[in-house]
Amino acid sequence: MAEEHDYREQYNQAVSRAVAGDVGAYPDFDRHRQETVWRLLSSDRQSLLRFCQRQGISVGRMDTMKTLKSPKPLFQLIAAGHDADTVAKWVRRG
């Protein structure tokens, strides 16, 4: 069985960045894929798409999520596989 991690602090930081208009990212374990994926969040859809384009991240399905910290829904993309590695490197750099 995969090791469980507590991603709450990283989630809170990602949501705070997204609400501020930047792109936030936090890791999450995908039980279907049995691997760690990265969730990218932003309150601005175009900002999130530009970020993915600059980083070379594939844009798949974009969802919205509601949070009490933001008056409007946040846009969310899930990066898996090679894209997850790219996001992890970006997070470590900055």
Side-chain angles (χ1 to χ4, degrees):
M1 178 157 208
E3 181 181 327
E4 294 292 325
H5 294 282
D6 184 6
Y7 297 125
R8 283 180 287 204
E9 181 62 31
Q10 291 167 310
Y11 169 80
N12 289 334
Q13 290 173 355
V15 169
S16 295
R17 289 186 69 166
V19 169
D22 201 2
V23 174
Y26 71 97
D28 191 17
F29 186 76
D30 187 323
R31 294 187 195 283
H32 297 297
R33 290 188 171 110
Q34 291 296 302
E35 68 180 3
T36 299
V37 297
W38 283 83
R39 296 181 184 264
L40 299 168
L41 306 174
S42 181
S43 60
D44 180 26
R45 182 178 185 274
Q46 289 303 317
S47 176
L48 184 56
L49 292 174
R50 280 192 303 273
F51 170 82
C52 290
Q53 185 179 25
R54 282 193 312 269
Q55 299 299 322
I57 297 169
S58 303
V59 176
R61 193 178 87 196
M62 185 178 294
D63 294 323
T64 57
M65 64 179 275
K66 294 182 181 179
T67 176
L68 296 175
K69 295 181 181 183
S70 176
K72 59 184 180 178
L74 298 177
F75 294 96
Q76 172 181 255
L77 287 173
I78 298 174
H82 176 69
D83 291 336
D85 296 337
T86 302
V87 174
K89 288 176 188 172
W90 175 77
V91 168
R92 282 193 296 268
R93 282 191 308 241

